[in-house]
Amino acid sequence: MKVIFTLLLATAVLPTLSVSQERRQDQREETEWQSRDFGDRLSDFIEDLVDEFGREPFESEDWGSDTLQERRTKETHSFSGNTTIENDQVIDGDVVVKGGDLTIFGEVDGDVLVVGGTLYVKEGGRVKGNARVIRGDIVRDEGGIIEGYMDKTRTARASVNDDVRRLRRTAYTLQTPWIPETANLDNFIFRYNRVEGLFLGLGSEKKYYWDGFRNYNVYGSVGYGFKLHRWRYHLGVTRQFAIISDEPGSGELIEIGIEGHSLTDSKDEWLINVHENTAAALLIHEDFRDYYGRDGYTIHGAYTAQDNGTIWQVKAEYLIDRYKSLEKETEYAFFGGRKTFRPNPAIDEGRMRSAIATAGLSTYAKTISGPEGWSIYGTAEFSEPSWGGEFNFRQFVADIRRYQPLGRYDNFNLRLRVGTSEGLLPRQRMFEIGGLGTLHAYRFKSDAGNRLVLANAEYILNGDFLHDLDFWPSWLMRGINFLFMADAGWVTTADSLASWSEGFETLHFSSFKTNLGFGFANKSGAFRIGFAWRTDVKAPVVFFIRFTRPF
């Protein structure tokens, strides 16, 4: 499975006896550092960094009022990325945040360590221990309290500075719903599906150099599908112009780029990611994506900005592609009994010349209570025969997501997706709903059309919500979430001569297909198992299992 990239990784440079020896030693260590597994490097660095910079504040009796023995008994809560402690939350223990900002509205009954980010203590927020920030800043509002010692370390020992710089170079990726999978690849690519069979390859993710460290960025992948008997690749080059900000976590980029590709592509990235789909294909004989071949070139220009956890992007692309249908090539799976893979549906083949405009905004952040924020994006694609292609259509898609903590123990998450089109929409652009990721209780992709409205809602309640009861097993229930969900979807096919705004006249509340569901999830809500049932007719309950969040 994909290694989750964060903002920390490093190694320590061994002391040397002379300048020449030191240079040779640095080169050897750099080679060893790059050759090690990313997860091992990350784990070692986190442990070393927290141990080295955390030991002083955590063990010194001058830092805070707790004795050394009391301090050692406190639990350490560790987080990656931007993290928020809400005003009704009290964290009993130390808090460590790596590669992101920590914003405190509530209370931390312990010490705070932030590495590679800024500590914000808002009015009413309180840190009862010490606060230390490495490669960041401390911003305390009037009424924000830090009872212990405050320390900002910007010039640690040389090896740690080098390690943080290495980390930042490898963590300049953008993780938002509108960014395609090909921009965030693992170094080693492993996937399995019914069209390619086993696919192995190498990849490099696209990077955004907010600090102007580099002007050019090269990214891409190459690999081989053993059942398809084809090499697949994509190679992109961008020229970036950074508008550097003095504010931590802020920056702007203007870029232009070109890409060549030969891909086994799918329009179903938004339904299920490639790693979860690989697991489903291998383990339960289910492939939840449909595929087609896409060969061609893309040129683009984009403006991207970030500011204290908010990311927005505007992008324009021109695509020159040839589309080709692909067939099912394998039936192998570890389990699944006598099940067979679905046939891979044919598409409308031919040359396509299209222009795509994308605009997106994300304030998504991880908090103690779960994800919080907005993710909003829209795409508009235009294809004209006069441009040299064989297709004539215009398609528009809007996707709105809200992640809302309601309190210390519960969250409400919502997604609304709307799509429409003009012209003769090719089959590879049709909207489909039913089954995984859309209407859980219905047959997979049971409905298709050129108009779409889909709403998915979930209420998540942490199992430790009754922690005040003496008999409640908090040690067990705090890692379990109860999941309640509801889905509603509608698709129809309007006349190809109708404008994009027409075709919704027949949409009423009763037009929606709906289902309800119940299940269990882990603390993050990613792994989940549950049951869903239709609300319109009596039908068997559908069991589902997911390894990643549906949205």
Side-chain angles (χ1 to χ4, degrees), residues 5-8 46 49 79-83 96-102 113-118 134 167-168 171:
F5 282 83
T6 66
L7 289 178
L8 295 169
I46 296 302
L49 197 61
F79 304 92
S80 296
N82 295 332
T83 305
V96 177
V97 174
K98 299 152 287 189
D101 300 332
L102 172 61
L113 172 64
V114 179
V115 183
T118 297
I134 301 169
L167 162 69
R168 289 186 174 182

Side-chain angles (χ1 to χ4, degrees), residues 100-117:
D101 300 332
L102 172 61
T103 304
I104 300 176
F105 293 94
E107 180 177 303
V108 176
D109 186 8
D111 297 324
V112 168
L113 172 64
V114 179
V115 183

Side-chain angles (χ1 to χ4, degrees), residues 252-312:
E252 299 172 80
L253 274 179
I254 299 173
E255 71 171 25
I256 56 175
I258 185 171
E259 175 188 307
H261 50 257
S262 175
L263 301 172
T264 299
D265 205 356
S266 174
K267 65 178 179 181
D268 299 325
E269 286 186 16
W270 72 284
L271 290 179
I272 182 172
N273 72 38
V274 64
H275 302 293
E276 186 179 11
N277 193 70
T278 293
L282 280 173
L283 298 179
I284 62 173
H285 214 142
E286 293 282 358
D287 190 341
F288 294 102
R289 287 186 168 190
D290 294 328
Y291 307 92
Y292 46 83
R294 183 165 71 91
D295 301 271
Y297 307 90
T298 301
I299 59 174
H300 78 270
Y303 168 80
T304 309
Q306 63 174 357
D307 182 17
N308 294 322
T310 299
I311 297 172
W312 58 93

Side-chain angles (χ1 to χ4, degrees), residues 25-43:
Q25 179 73 6
D26 288 345
Q27 292 173 353
R28 286 195 298 270
E29 289 186 356
E30 179 71 16
T31 301
E32 294 173 358
W33 181 87
Q34 291 177 346
S35 65
R36 295 184 62 205
D37 177 79
F38 181 86
D40 293 338
R41 288 181 273 153
L42 178 60
S43 298

Side-chain angles (χ1 to χ4, degrees), residues 409-426:
Y409 297 102
D410 53 350
N411 299 69
F412 179 75
N413 304 321
L414 176 68
R415 175 179 66 186
L416 176 64
R417 189 176 179 91
V418 180
T420 185
S421 67
E422 294 179 351
L424 190 59
L425 200 63

Side-chain angles (χ1 to χ4, degrees), residues 430-495:
M430 297 292 283
F431 303 116
E432 298 165 319
I433 61 172
L436 188 84
T438 56
L439 298 173
H440 289 78
Y442 289 76
R443 184 170 55 85
F444 187 65
K445 293 191 174 182
S446 55
D447 295 283
N450 56 21
R451 300 290 187 274
L452 163 74
V453 178
L454 175 68
N456 305 104
E458 59 181 26
Y459 174 71
I460 298 176
L461 177 65
N462 184 253
D464 196 30
F465 71 105
L466 296 178
H467 73 286
D468 290 336
L469 299 178
D470 293 337
F471 63 83
W472 193 251
S474 293
W475 60 272
L476 173 64
M477 300 307 294
R478 67 167 59 103
I480 299 175
N481 285 335
F482 297 104
L483 172 67
F484 305 88
M485 46 178 282
D487 305 317
W490 170 86
V491 293
T492 192
T493 301
D495 190 277

Side-chain angles (χ1 to χ4, degrees), residues 112-130:
V112 168
L113 172 64
V114 179
V115 183
T118 297
L119 170 62
Y120 297 94
V121 183
K122 299 297 186 177
E123 182 177 358
R126 179 185 295 267
V127 177
K128 302 185 77 172
N130 317 294

